[in-house]
Amino acid sequence: DDTLPYVCPPGSFGNSLSPAQQSSRGCSGSCPGGYYCPEGTVEPIPCRAGTYCRTGSASEVPCPDGTYGLLPKLVDPADCPICERGGYCSGGRLNLCPRGYYNDQVGSYDSADCEPCPAHATTLNDGATSVDQCVCEPLYYNNATAGVNCLFCPSGTVCAERGITID
C-alpha cells in the first residue's frame, strides 16, 4: 500500500512515522501504563506528576479529588496517595493551607476544609495540621488552658511577640 506512514490511533504507538521504516498498518502496541499516546504517537509520553495513565491511555487523567501525585508515570488512581492533614488535594496537586489556617483531616479536596485560626491568632507556617498550631498575634495573649483564646494584653504587660501566654 502506498499510503504509508499509517497514523496509530489514540492509546497506541507506532515505531516510526517514516514510510521507509514502516512496512505495515500495525502499530507497535498499546501505550504502556504510566504513559499516554495521543493519535499518531511514535514514542509514548510519560504522565506528569499529579496524573495517572493506565495501559492504552490516550491522555493523562488527574488523580482523584482528595488524592495527589508527587511522582510521574503513575499507572492507577490507587497509586495517588490520600491527601495529608494540613492541606487539600484537587487536580492531582497537594495544596497546603495558608498561614492563619489549619486542616486536621485527611482526604480533603476543597480549600474550604482549611479552617481559620481563632480571632487574633495565626500559624507560623503554611500547612498547619491542628488548631494547637495557632498562636496569638502580637499585642494579644492566650488565656486558654486548652486551645486558643486570644485576648488583648492588659495594661503594663508586654506582648510584643507571637504566641504569648499569661498565667
Side-chain angles (χ1 to χ4, degrees):
D1 192 326
D2 60 357
T3 59
L4 295 174
Y6 294 105
V7 176
C8 289
S12 62
F13 68 102
N15 58 1
S16 177
L17 283 179
S18 167
Q21 293 180 344
Q22 192 177 35
S23 59
S24 73
R25 290 180 183 260
C27 295
S28 296
S30 288
C31 203
Y35 294 80
Y36 68 102
C37 300
E39 182 179 52
T41 297
V42 173
E43 283 290 324
I45 304 163
C47 288
R48 295 173 292 173
T51 67
Y52 67 93
C53 300
R54 292 187 165 138
T55 299
S57 291
S59 61
E60 299 171 297
V61 178
C63 287
D65 282 345
T67 68
Y68 66 102
L70 287 177
L71 302 174
K73 301 184 204 173
L74 299 180
V75 176
D76 192 85
D79 297 335
C80 302
I82 298 291
C83 196
E84 302 167 9
R85 296 181 325 131
Y88 62 97
C89 299
S90 62
R93 295 178 46 163
L94 169 61
N95 306 285
L96 296 178
C97 294
R99 270 187 61 197
Y101 291 80
Y102 67 94
N103 184 359
D104 59 4
Q105 300 178 18
V106 297
S108 296
Y109 60 88
D110 191 327
S111 62
D113 293 330
C114 294
E115 298 282 337
C117 286
H120 310 294
T122 189
T123 58
L124 299 177
N125 298 302
D126 294 343
T129 59
S130 166
V131 69
D132 294 333
Q133 290 176 288
C134 297
V135 296
C136 295
E137 292 279 7
L139 303 181
Y140 291 86
Y141 74 99
N142 186 10
N143 81 334
T145 54
V148 180
N149 182 26
C150 300
L151 300 175
F152 193 73
C153 282
S155 180
T157 305
V158 178
C159 298
E161 297 178 18
R162 286 188 178 101
I164 299 293
T165 300
I166 299 175
D167 295 325

PDB file of all heavy atoms in Angstrom, residues 1-30:
ATOM      1  N   ASP A   1       0.858  -1.183   0.000  1.00  0.00           N
ATOM      2  CA  ASP A   1       0.000   0.000   0.000  1.00  0.00           C
ATOM      3  C   ASP A   1       0.896   1.236   0.000  1.00  0.00           C
ATOM      4  O   ASP A   1       1.846   1.330   0.754  1.00  0.00           O
ATOM      5  CB  ASP A   1      -0.871  -0.059   1.253  1.00  0.00           C
ATOM      6  CG  ASP A   1      -2.005   0.954   1.225  1.00  0.00           C
ATOM      7  OD1 ASP A   1      -1.819   2.052   0.684  1.00  0.00           O
ATOM      8  OD2 ASP A   1      -3.069   0.635   1.774  1.00  0.00           O
ATOM      9  N   ASP A   2       0.579   2.197  -0.818  1.00  0.00           N
ATOM     10  CA  ASP A   2       1.440   3.388  -0.931  1.00  0.00           C
ATOM     11  C   ASP A   2       0.976   4.547  -0.058  1.00  0.00           C
ATOM     12  O   ASP A   2       1.425   5.673  -0.241  1.00  0.00           O
ATOM     13  CB  ASP A   2       1.555   3.814  -2.394  1.00  0.00           C
ATOM     14  CG  ASP A   2       0.211   4.163  -3.017  1.00  0.00           C
ATOM     15  OD1 ASP A   2      -0.824   4.015  -2.332  1.00  0.00           O
ATOM     16  OD2 ASP A   2       0.209   4.586  -4.182  1.00  0.00           O
ATOM     17  N   THR A   3       0.095   4.317   0.913  1.00  0.00           N
ATOM     18  CA  THR A   3      -0.365   5.391   1.795  1.00  0.00           C
ATOM     19  C   THR A   3       0.373   5.388   3.130  1.00  0.00           C
ATOM     20  O   THR A   3      -0.104   5.945   4.110  1.00  0.00           O
ATOM     21  CB  THR A   3      -1.885   5.283   2.046  1.00  0.00           C
ATOM     22  OG1 THR A   3      -2.162   4.024   2.627  1.00  0.00           O
ATOM     23  CG2 THR A   3      -2.657   5.491   0.769  1.00  0.00           C
ATOM     24  N   LEU A   4       1.518   4.762   3.174  1.00  0.00           N
ATOM     25  CA  LEU A   4       2.338   4.802   4.388  1.00  0.00           C
ATOM     26  C   LEU A   4       2.887   6.209   4.576  1.00  0.00           C
ATOM     27  O   LEU A   4       3.116   6.895   3.608  1.00  0.00           O
ATOM     28  CB  LEU A   4       3.480   3.789   4.285  1.00  0.00           C
ATOM     29  CG  LEU A   4       3.087   2.320   4.234  1.00  0.00           C
ATOM     30  CD1 LEU A   4       4.316   1.461   3.988  1.00  0.00           C
ATOM     31  CD2 LEU A   4       2.415   1.901   5.515  1.00  0.00           C
ATOM     32  N   PRO A   5       3.147   6.714   5.756  1.00  0.00           N
ATOM     33  CA  PRO A   5       3.004   6.006   7.028  1.00  0.00           C
ATOM     34  C   PRO A   5       1.569   6.038   7.534  1.00  0.00           C
ATOM     35  O   PRO A   5       0.831   6.969   7.281  1.00  0.00           O
ATOM     36  CB  PRO A   5       3.914   6.782   7.967  1.00  0.00           C
ATOM     37  CG  PRO A   5       3.843   8.181   7.477  1.00  0.00           C
ATOM     38  CD  PRO A   5       3.697   8.056   5.972  1.00  0.00           C
ATOM     39  N   TYR A   6       1.201   5.006   8.274  1.00  0.00           N
ATOM     40  CA  TYR A   6      -0.095   4.951   8.922  1.00  0.00           C
ATOM     41  C   TYR A   6       0.012   5.651  10.273  1.00  0.00           C
ATOM     42  O   TYR A   6       0.999   5.513  10.968  1.00  0.00           O
ATOM     43  CB  TYR A   6      -0.539   3.504   9.137  1.00  0.00           C
ATOM     44  CG  TYR A   6      -0.793   2.789   7.841  1.00  0.00           C
ATOM     45  CD1 TYR A   6       0.104   1.859   7.369  1.00  0.00           C
ATOM     46  CD2 TYR A   6      -1.932   3.074   7.102  1.00  0.00           C
ATOM     47  CE1 TYR A   6      -0.123   1.207   6.173  1.00  0.00           C
ATOM     48  CE2 TYR A   6      -2.168   2.436   5.896  1.00  0.00           C
ATOM     49  CZ  TYR A   6      -1.261   1.502   5.432  1.00  0.00           C
ATOM     50  OH  TYR A   6      -1.485   0.875   4.253  1.00  0.00           O
ATOM     51  N   VAL A   7      -1.010   6.387  10.618  1.00  0.00           N
ATOM     52  CA  VAL A   7      -1.032   7.061  11.919  1.00  0.00           C
ATOM     53  C   VAL A   7      -1.731   6.139  12.906  1.00  0.00           C
ATOM     54  O   VAL A   7      -2.859   5.720  12.671  1.00  0.00           O
ATOM     55  CB  VAL A   7      -1.774   8.414  11.810  1.00  0.00           C
ATOM     56  CG1 VAL A   7      -1.896   9.067  13.164  1.00  0.00           C
ATOM     57  CG2 VAL A   7      -1.049   9.330  10.836  1.00  0.00           C
ATOM     58  N   CYS A   8      -1.040   5.811  13.994  1.00  0.00           N
ATOM     59  CA  CYS A   8      -1.630   4.941  15.004  1.00  0.00           C
ATOM     60  C   CYS A   8      -2.764   5.679  15.725  1.00  0.00           C
ATOM     61  O   CYS A   8      -2.685   6.883  15.960  1.00  0.00           O
ATOM     62  CB  CYS A   8      -0.564   4.507  16.003  1.00  0.00           C
ATOM     63  SG  CYS A   8       0.617   3.344  15.287  1.00  0.00           S
ATOM     64  N   PRO A   9      -3.804   4.939  16.110  1.00  0.00           N
ATOM     65  CA  PRO A   9      -4.931   5.573  16.803  1.00  0.00           C
ATOM     66  C   PRO A   9      -4.563   5.957  18.233  1.00  0.00           C
ATOM     67  O   PRO A   9      -3.553   5.489  18.772  1.00  0.00           O
ATOM     68  CB  PRO A   9      -6.005   4.487  16.782  1.00  0.00           C
ATOM     69  CG  PRO A   9      -5.263   3.205  16.678  1.00  0.00           C
ATOM     70  CD  PRO A   9      -4.021   3.515  15.888  1.00  0.00           C
ATOM     71  N   PRO A  10      -5.378   6.802  18.860  1.00  0.00           N
ATOM     72  CA  PRO A  10      -5.122   7.166  20.261  1.00  0.00           C
ATOM     73  C   PRO A  10      -5.031   5.915  21.141  1.00  0.00           C
ATOM     74  O   PRO A  10      -5.759   4.951  20.936  1.00  0.00           O
ATOM     75  CB  PRO A  10      -6.342   7.999  20.653  1.00  0.00           C
ATOM     76  CG  PRO A  10      -6.906   8.501  19.356  1.00  0.00           C
ATOM     77  CD  PRO A  10      -6.593   7.437  18.344  1.00  0.00           C
ATOM     78  N   GLY A  11      -4.101   5.936  22.100  1.00  0.00           N
ATOM     79  CA  GLY A  11      -3.917   4.816  23.011  1.00  0.00           C
ATOM     80  C   GLY A  11      -2.931   3.772  22.521  1.00  0.00           C
ATOM     81  O   GLY A  11      -2.687   2.782  23.199  1.00  0.00           O
ATOM     82  N   SER A  12      -2.371   3.983  21.336  1.00  0.00           N
ATOM     83  CA  SER A  12      -1.354   3.072  20.809  1.00  0.00           C
ATOM     84  C   SER A  12      -0.220   3.901  20.227  1.00  0.00           C
ATOM     85  O   SER A  12      -0.328   5.110  20.060  1.00  0.00           O
ATOM     86  CB  SER A  12      -1.950   2.138  19.757  1.00  0.00           C
ATOM     87  OG  SER A  12      -2.425   2.886  18.662  1.00  0.00           O
ATOM     88  N   PHE A  13       0.879   3.230  19.920  1.00  0.00           N
ATOM     89  CA  PHE A  13       2.015   3.957  19.346  1.00  0.00           C
ATOM     90  C   PHE A  13       2.649   3.123  18.247  1.00  0.00           C
ATOM     91  O   PHE A  13       2.533   1.901  18.211  1.00  0.00           O
ATOM     92  CB  PHE A  13       3.036   4.328  20.427  1.00  0.00           C
ATOM     93  CG  PHE A  13       3.774   3.162  21.027  1.00  0.00           C
ATOM     94  CD1 PHE A  13       5.077   2.878  20.621  1.00  0.00           C
ATOM     95  CD2 PHE A  13       3.191   2.363  21.991  1.00  0.00           C
ATOM     96  CE1 PHE A  13       5.764   1.807  21.172  1.00  0.00           C
ATOM     97  CE2 PHE A  13       3.873   1.300  22.546  1.00  0.00           C
ATOM     98  CZ  PHE A  13       5.164   1.019  22.136  1.00  0.00           C
ATOM     99  N   GLY A  14       3.292   3.819  17.333  1.00  0.00           N
ATOM    100  CA  GLY A  14       3.977   3.174  16.217  1.00  0.00           C
ATOM    101  C   GLY A  14       5.471   3.349  16.360  1.00  0.00           C
ATOM    102  O   GLY A  14       5.939   4.234  17.078  1.00  0.00           O
ATOM    103  N   ASN A  15       6.213   2.524  15.661  1.00  0.00           N
ATOM    104  CA  ASN A  15       7.664   2.594  15.801  1.00  0.00           C
ATOM    105  C   ASN A  15       8.292   3.682  14.946  1.00  0.00           C
ATOM    106  O   ASN A  15       9.458   3.998  15.102  1.00  0.00           O
ATOM    107  CB  ASN A  15       8.297   1.237  15.499  1.00  0.00           C
ATOM    108  CG  ASN A  15       7.972   0.735  14.100  1.00  0.00           C
ATOM    109  OD1 ASN A  15       7.289   1.411  13.338  1.00  0.00           O
ATOM    110  ND2 ASN A  15       8.443  -0.448  13.780  1.00  0.00           N
ATOM    111  N   SER A  16       7.523   4.279  14.041  1.00  0.00           N
ATOM    112  CA  SER A  16       8.101   5.304  13.178  1.00  0.00           C
ATOM    113  C   SER A  16       7.011   6.005  12.381  1.00  0.00           C
ATOM    114  O   SER A  16       5.978   5.420  12.086  1.00  0.00           O
ATOM    115  CB  SER A  16       9.105   4.669  12.206  1.00  0.00           C
ATOM    116  OG  SER A  16       9.602   5.643  11.323  1.00  0.00           O
ATOM    117  N   LEU A  17       7.263   7.235  12.014  1.00  0.00           N
ATOM    118  CA  LEU A  17       6.381   7.946  11.078  1.00  0.00           C
ATOM    119  C   LEU A  17       7.015   8.001   9.692  1.00  0.00           C
ATOM    120  O   LEU A  17       6.468   8.579   8.776  1.00  0.00           O
ATOM    121  CB  LEU A  17       6.094   9.366  11.576  1.00  0.00           C
ATOM    122  CG  LEU A  17       5.078   9.476  12.707  1.00  0.00           C
ATOM    123  CD1 LEU A  17       4.894  10.918  13.129  1.00  0.00           C
ATOM    124  CD2 LEU A  17       3.739   8.873  12.320  1.00  0.00           C
ATOM    125  N   SER A  18       8.159   7.381   9.549  1.00  0.00           N
ATOM    126  CA  SER A  18       8.862   7.380   8.272  1.00  0.00           C
ATOM    127  C   SER A  18       8.351   6.233   7.400  1.00  0.00           C
ATOM    128  O   SER A  18       8.413   5.069   7.791  1.00  0.00           O
ATOM    129  CB  SER A  18      10.367   7.208   8.508  1.00  0.00           C
ATOM    130  OG  SER A  18      11.009   6.921   7.295  1.00  0.00           O
ATOM    131  N   PRO A  19       7.852   6.524   6.181  1.00  0.00           N
ATOM    132  CA  PRO A  19       7.383   5.442   5.301  1.00  0.00           C
ATOM    133  C   PRO A  19       8.469   4.406   5.024  1.00  0.00           C
ATOM    134  O   PRO A  19       8.174   3.224   4.876  1.00  0.00           O
ATOM    135  CB  PRO A  19       6.973   6.163   4.017  1.00  0.00           C
ATOM    136  CG  PRO A  19       6.693   7.564   4.438  1.00  0.00           C
ATOM    137  CD  PRO A  19       7.629   7.836   5.589  1.00  0.00           C
ATOM    138  N   ALA A  20       9.715   4.819   5.005  1.00  0.00           N
ATOM    139  CA  ALA A  20      10.801   3.880   4.723  1.00  0.00           C
ATOM    140  C   ALA A  20      10.970   2.859   5.851  1.00  0.00           C
ATOM    141  O   ALA A  20      11.422   1.743   5.618  1.00  0.00           O
ATOM    142  CB  ALA A  20      12.110   4.632   4.518  1.00  0.00           C
ATOM    143  N   GLN A  21      10.599   3.238   7.089  1.00  0.00           N
ATOM    144  CA  GLN A  21      10.764   2.336   8.225  1.00  0.00           C
ATOM    145  C   GLN A  21       9.479   1.617   8.614  1.00  0.00           C
ATOM    146  O   GLN A  21       9.497   0.709   9.421  1.00  0.00           O
ATOM    147  CB  GLN A  21      11.285   3.112   9.439  1.00  0.00           C
ATOM    148  CG  GLN A  21      12.689   3.632   9.240  1.00  0.00           C
ATOM    149  CD  GLN A  21      13.164   4.403  10.466  1.00  0.00           C
ATOM    150  OE1 GLN A  21      12.393   4.801  11.320  1.00  0.00           O
ATOM    151  NE2 GLN A  21      14.470   4.625  10.528  1.00  0.00           N
ATOM    152  N   GLN A  22       8.363   2.028   8.041  1.00  0.00           N
ATOM    153  CA  GLN A  22       7.085   1.425   8.398  1.00  0.00           C
ATOM    154  C   GLN A  22       6.636   0.548   7.226  1.00  0.00           C
ATOM    155  O   GLN A  22       6.497   1.021   6.113  1.00  0.00           O
ATOM    156  CB  GLN A  22       6.059   2.516   8.694  1.00  0.00           C
ATOM    157  CG  GLN A  22       4.808   1.990   9.354  1.00  0.00           C
ATOM    158  CD  GLN A  22       3.858   3.124   9.692  1.00  0.00           C
ATOM    159  OE1 GLN A  22       3.773   4.087   8.959  1.00  0.00           O
ATOM    160  NE2 GLN A  22       3.126   2.968  10.784  1.00  0.00           N
ATOM    161  N   SER A  23       6.406  -0.706   7.502  1.00  0.00           N
ATOM    162  CA  SER A  23       6.082  -1.628   6.417  1.00  0.00           C
ATOM    163  C   SER A  23       4.655  -2.169   6.479  1.00  0.00           C
ATOM    164  O   SER A  23       4.250  -2.904   5.600  1.00  0.00           O
ATOM    165  CB  SER A  23       7.068  -2.795   6.432  1.00  0.00           C
ATOM    166  OG  SER A  23       6.994  -3.449   7.679  1.00  0.00           O
ATOM    167  N   SER A  24       3.916  -1.827   7.524  1.00  0.00           N
ATOM    168  CA  SER A  24       2.549  -2.334   7.619  1.00  0.00           C
ATOM    169  C   SER A  24       1.680  -1.367   8.411  1.00  0.00           C
ATOM    170  O   SER A  24       2.160  -0.391   8.963  1.00  0.00           O
ATOM    171  CB  SER A  24       2.543  -3.704   8.292  1.00  0.00           C
ATOM    172  OG  SER A  24       2.797  -3.564   9.672  1.00  0.00           O
ATOM    173  N   ARG A  25       0.377  -1.694   8.473  1.00  0.00           N
ATOM    174  CA  ARG A  25      -0.559  -0.885   9.235  1.00  0.00           C
ATOM    175  C   ARG A  25      -0.398  -1.105  10.738  1.00  0.00           C
ATOM    176  O   ARG A  25      -0.951  -0.379  11.526  1.00  0.00           O
ATOM    177  CB  ARG A  25      -1.995  -1.250   8.858  1.00  0.00           C
ATOM    178  CG  ARG A  25      -2.385  -0.829   7.484  1.00  0.00           C
ATOM    179  CD  ARG A  25      -3.838  -1.254   7.236  1.00  0.00           C
ATOM    180  NE  ARG A  25      -4.225  -0.927   5.892  1.00  0.00           N
ATOM    181  CZ  ARG A  25      -4.934   0.149   5.574  1.00  0.00           C
ATOM    182  NH1 ARG A  25      -5.356   0.963   6.506  1.00  0.00           N
ATOM    183  NH2 ARG A  25      -5.241   0.396   4.329  1.00  0.00           N
ATOM    184  N   GLY A  26       0.321  -2.115  11.122  1.00  0.00           N
ATOM    185  CA  GLY A  26       0.454  -2.467  12.532  1.00  0.00           C
ATOM    186  C   GLY A  26       1.199  -1.415  13.331  1.00  0.00           C
ATOM    187  O   GLY A  26       2.243  -0.919  12.917  1.00  0.00           O
ATOM    188  N   CYS A  27       0.656  -1.094  14.476  1.00  0.00           N
ATOM    189  CA  CYS A  27       1.345  -0.204  15.406  1.00  0.00           C
ATOM    190  C   CYS A  27       2.195  -1.070  16.321  1.00  0.00           C
ATOM    191  O   CYS A  27       2.031  -2.290  16.379  1.00  0.00           O
ATOM    192  CB  CYS A  27       0.326   0.600  16.206  1.00  0.00           C
ATOM    193  SG  CYS A  27      -0.627   1.732  15.177  1.00  0.00           S
ATOM    194  N   SER A  28       3.102  -0.454  17.049  1.00  0.00           N
ATOM    195  CA  SER A  28       3.969  -1.223  17.945  1.00  0.00           C
ATOM    196  C   SER A  28       3.197  -1.846  19.096  1.00  0.00           C
ATOM    197  O   SER A  28       3.606  -2.861  19.634  1.00  0.00           O
ATOM    198  CB  SER A  28       5.071  -0.318  18.498  1.00  0.00           C
ATOM    199  OG  SER A  28       5.896   0.129  17.445  1.00  0.00           O
ATOM    200  N   GLY A  29       2.095  -1.240  19.501  1.00  0.00           N
ATOM    201  CA  GLY A  29       1.277  -1.814  20.560  1.00  0.00           C
ATOM    202  C   GLY A  29       0.512  -0.767  21.332  1.00  0.00           C
ATOM    203  O   GLY A  29       0.529   0.420  20.989  1.00  0.00           O
ATOM    204  N   SER A  30      -0.149  -1.227  22.390  1.00  0.00           N
ATOM    205  CA  SER A  30      -0.876  -0.318  23.268  1.00  0.00           C
ATOM    206  C   SER A  30       0.115   0.540  24.035  1.00  0.00           C
ATOM    207  O   SER A  30       1.212   0.094  24.358  1.00  0.00           O
ATOM    208  CB  SER A  30      -1.727  -1.101  24.270  1.00  0.00           C
ATOM    209  OG  SER A  30      -2.812  -1.695  23.630  1.00  0.00           O
TER     210      SER A  30
END
